[in-house]
Amino acid sequence: MIIRQPSTAADFAAYYALRYQVLRQPWQQPPGSERSDDDAAPTTHHAMAVADDGSIIGVARVQPSGPGQVQVRAVAVHPDWHGRGIGQQLMTYLEEYAAAQGFTECILDSRESAVGFYQKLDYEIVAPSHTLFGVIPHFRMRKSLAT
């Protein structure tokens, strides 16, 4: 398994397909809802985990959100690959990328069910955030990237 940026139309098609499958389809959201207007921004950095057979098994993105700060969004791991460290590897990749760009803090809005995952990666809850689709509570979390 490797972590890399999507670079071809086929890469991005598989990237968005997994984002939709994991983050939108279970809540009956329409296809296309997995995309964000700022996905194509030159400051948005995408990452995908690619299995040895070439399938996309995890995706995530990071973008600047304030002075010295980036925000991780749209982290999704294929259900068949949960518990195998894919999410942790994606987060490490994005954090290392952000730190190399000079960012010192990373924030994210975690679904309630994923708070424990991010806490194991040294993220702290800052405050309650939004409730997605009226049923999925989120929490703003932060981590210092300074070493």
Side-chain angles (χ1 to χ4, degrees), residues 45-70:
H45 187 81
H46 300 271
M48 61 185 197
V50 184
D52 293 341
D53 68 2
S55 60
I56 309 304
I57 56 176
V59 299
R61 58 171 268 201
V62 67
Q63 68 189 94
S65 56
Q69 183 184 72
V70 293

Side-chain angles (χ1 to χ4, degrees), residues 58-136:
V59 299
R61 58 171 268 201
V62 67
Q63 68 189 94
S65 56
Q69 183 184 72
V70 293
Q71 182 173 7
V72 170
R73 297 187 63 206
V75 178
V77 173
H78 191 285
D80 292 348
W81 289 81
H82 285 182
R84 298 192 202 183
I86 305 305
Q88 179 180 354
Q89 290 180 57
L90 282 165
M91 292 300 296
T92 298
Y93 173 91
L94 292 177
E95 291 168 6
E96 288 175 354
Y97 167 81
Q101 302 303 307
F103 293 97
T104 57
E105 181 179 61
C106 185
I107 62 168
L108 54 84
D109 291 315
S110 172
R111 291 176 183 209
E112 185 174 43
S113 61
V115 165
F117 165 76
Y118 291 112
Q119 286 174 324
K120 288 178 186 174
L121 300 178
D122 298 324
Y123 283 81
E124 301 171 326
I125 294 175
V126 175
S129 184
H130 62 284
T131 300
L132 187 63
F133 313 133
V135 295
I136 307 170

